[in-house]
Each structure stands twice: as C-alpha cells, then as structure tokens.
Amino acid sequence: MEQKHGDILSRQFLDRIAAARHVCVLTGAGVSAESGVPTFRSAGGLWEKYDPRELATEAAFRADPDLVWSWYSWRRTLIAGVDPNPGHRALAEFPSVFPRLSLITQNVDNLHQRAGSPEVHELHGNIERSRCIECRKPYPGDEAPRTEHALRCGCGGYIRPGVVWFGETLPEDELRFAQAAASDCDLFLTVGTSGQVYPASDLPVQARRRGAYVVEINPEPSAIAHLVDERIALPSGVALPAVLDAARTFHPGIFGNT
Ligand code: BJW
Ligand code: ZN
C-alpha cells in the first residue's frame, strides 16, 4: 500500500520539495530492481556470473562478439518481459507537479519511457539501439534482434549494442545536459545507483557544490552516501510515490493538481 509522505519523509526534505523550482533526478539500476531487472553489482546482480570488465568493454566484444551480443540478447528478452514499477510511474508524474524536472538515467532499459516520462536523458545509451562497430552506421529498426550470434553490417563489421562501455565517452549532448541540470537545480535526487561509475557519480557531488539539496534514495548506502544531505533507506518504489504525494500537496495550484 502506498505510504503517505508524512510517514517517511523528513520535515527538512518536505520543505525542500515545497520550495523546489528545478528538480534533477539521476537514476540507476536500482530503480528497475522492483520490476525484476537485476542490478549490476548487488547480491544476485547481473555481474555475479560475469565480470563487467569481461563483457562491458569494446575489447571484450572484439574478442568474443557472440558472447557479449548473446548477453545483451538475454537482457533484452528479460526487459521485454517486465513492466515499469511504482517508482518509474511516480517519476513520470513529476513534470506535472514540479515547475521543472530534469530526468537523467544511467539505465538502458527504456522503463522510464514505458512508464510515460516525456523526456529522459540517457547517459549510457539504450539497449534497443545498435550500430556497426566499424562504420558506426545505425542498425535499422526500433528493436535490436535477440539473436545468439552477433550480426554483421554490410561493411563486414560487427553490429554492437548502442550502449556506453567502460573507457568510452558518454554522449556529449546528454552529458552536457546532465552537468548543466546538476549545476542549476535546487533539489537533486540520486536514486538506485551505487555511485561507483564516473562521470554519473560526480553529478550529485557537483549539484551539492552548487547549492542543491541532495537526497539519496537507496536501501543501501552508495559510494557517495557520505557526500549527500540526506539518505532515504527505502526502495524507490516506496520512496518516489511518497515524494510525488508530497509534491502534489505543496504545488497544487501550478498545474491544476489537487
Ligand atoms: C535499489 C533498489 C531499490 C537495489 N530501490 N535502490 C580506471 C580505468 C578505466 C576507466 C576508469 C578508471 N577509473 C575510472 C574510470 C572511468 C569509468 C569508471 O567509472 N569506472 C569505475 C568502475 C572505476 N567510467 C567510464 O569508463 C565511463 N566513461 C568515461 O569516464 O569516459 C572518459 C574516460 C575514458 C577513458 C578512460 C577514463 C575516462 C563510461 C562508463 C560506462 C558504464 N557502462 C555501464 C554498462 C552500460 C551498458 C550495459 O547496461 O550493459 O553502465 S557499467 C554499469 O554501471 C552500467 C550502469 O549504468 C552503471 C552504473 O551502475 P548502477 O546503475 O549504479 O547499478 P549498480 O548495480 O552498481 O547499483 C544498483 C544500486 O541500486 C545499489 O546501490 C543498490 O543498493 C540499489 N538498489 N534495489 C532503490 N528497490
Ligand atoms: Zn558497417
């Protein structure tokens, strides 16, 4: 059952929600955990069976394209079989209750979009996009084929997933947007991320340095937990609906919410 915001959010956080003009949210794998998508590093996570350095690098793909491609095919099938959870759905309502929202995700799973978030900034790409590793030509279609074997482009190069691997730079426009939003916002929520992967892990730190109030929503402390203003040690599927509930109370007139 949805908990009312007064039960789980601190007075200080409620005051920040009431005053917020620009809210910036950074999500990680934990926001999709309650949908049944395994996280990367938690117990039972995706990489308990595989070492990330073995799979999420260009060198690994070049060394064994079938292994890496089939791992992504398996994940695409898994993601296609799950639904957005109350955390995704609450975030999709944030644009109608806060004057301004910037939603930034490290996830590649499309669950924010499927929940109805109108504008999602993807720092690590998207699992359904693919391109040639040599000529970079996009692989056509909205969904990548879920084959066991890696596919080839007309040029002879392998088709790779359109995600960002270790050692690769993030999409320039999305990173620029994220950094600008982190610098400009007055409330920053870091949700379901272990804070171990740079440069996303730097965004909450940057936001706080620029004066934003930074709240971590994660049942476990992240690597940057000591740098935030407040932690909410709850699943995002519980905490985010409570934030939405509070925002509806404090910003009732702006967008016609009650
Ligand atoms: C819940 C929950 C619930 C559970 N509710 N919460 C040394 C050598 C080489 C590179 C580096 C180096 N030192 C630093 C670097 C840079 C490197 C990096 O940071 N490495 C670190 C690991 C050390 N970064 C990069 O390489 C980036 N590029 C870059 O920096 O370019 C410049 C550069 C170039 C060359 C050299 C150096 C710099 C690129 C990073 C790309 C990351 N890619 C991946 C894979 C994407 C594709 C795919 O999906 O396969 O992105 S890695 C993986 O980690 C994925 C995720 O987006 C990312 C972050 O993980 P996330 O989301 O935090 O998940 P988890 O599992 O870690 O945490 C889940 C959390 O949820 C936990 O805290 C749980 O408690 C919580 N939770 N249930 C709320 N219900
Ligand atoms: Zn090609």
Side-chain angles (χ1 to χ4, degrees), residues 19 57 68 87 120 123 137 144 150 199 217:
T57 68
V68 175
V120 185
L123 292 180
K137 193 172 146 194
I217 297 175

Side-chain angles (χ1 to χ4, degrees), residues 18-238:
R21 307 307 302 166
H22 180 187
V23 179
C24 186
V25 182
L26 170 70
T27 64
V31 82
S32 297
E34 289 155 87
S35 293
V37 182
T39 62
F40 289 93
R41 297 173 184 82
S42 329
L46 273 178
W47 289 345
E48 226 163 65
K49 279 186 252 155
Y50 300 104
D51 182 338
R53 288 161 300 185
E54 273 172 28
L55 294 181
T57 68
E58 182 179 328
F61 182 73
R62 286 189 183 277
D64 192 344
D66 285 347
L67 171 70
V68 175
W69 182 261
S70 63
W71 184 57
Y72 280 94
S73 291
W74 170 75
R75 287 174 55 196
R76 286 184 194 105
T77 304
L78 190 148
I79 290 163
V82 305
D83 293 313
N85 66 55
H88 297 111
R89 289 199 292 271
L91 281 174
E93 299 293 323
F94 275 27
S96 63
V97 291
F98 287 112
R100 187 170 161 210
L101 172 78
S102 298
L103 176 58
I104 299 155
T105 190
Q106 298 167 84
N107 298 345
V108 300
D109 60 20
N110 280 312
L111 287 172
H112 287 306
Q113 290 90 335
R114 285 170 55 195
S117 279
E119 193 180 321
V120 185
H121 293 271
E122 296 173 319
L123 292 180
H124 294 163
N126 188 296
I127 199 163
E128 292 297 354
R129 282 196 294 270
S130 313
R131 65 171 186 273
C132 174
I133 198 166
E134 304 300 344
C135 73
R136 302 180 65 85
K137 193 172 146 194
Y139 190 80
D142 290 340
E143 291 186 4
R146 296 178 206 146
T147 53
E148 291 240 338
H149 296 287
L151 307 168
R152 298 260 196 181
C153 172
C155 80
Y158 279 107
I159 302 296
R160 59 160 285 175
V163 300
V164 181
W165 284 327
F166 287 120
E168 296 182 331
T169 53
L170 277 63
E172 212 176 301
D173 49 343
E174 297 294 32
L175 181 59
R176 202 178 307 118
F177 176 92
Q179 286 170 336
S183 296
D184 177 73
C185 68
D186 42 26
L187 179 60
F188 189 105
L189 309 183
T190 174
V191 185
T193 174
S194 61
Q196 291 185 37
V197 175
Y198 176 87
S201 58
D202 204 35
L203 295 170
V205 181
Q206 197 182 327
R208 188 152 189 252
R209 209 179 290 135
R210 296 292 296 256
Y213 191 72
V214 179
V215 178
E216 173 169 289
I217 297 175
N218 192 323
E220 305 296 331
S222 77
I224 59 143
H226 58 292
L227 298 172
V228 305
D229 290 294
E230 189 174 332
R231 271 188 38 73
I232 300 183
L234 288 171
S236 45
V238 175

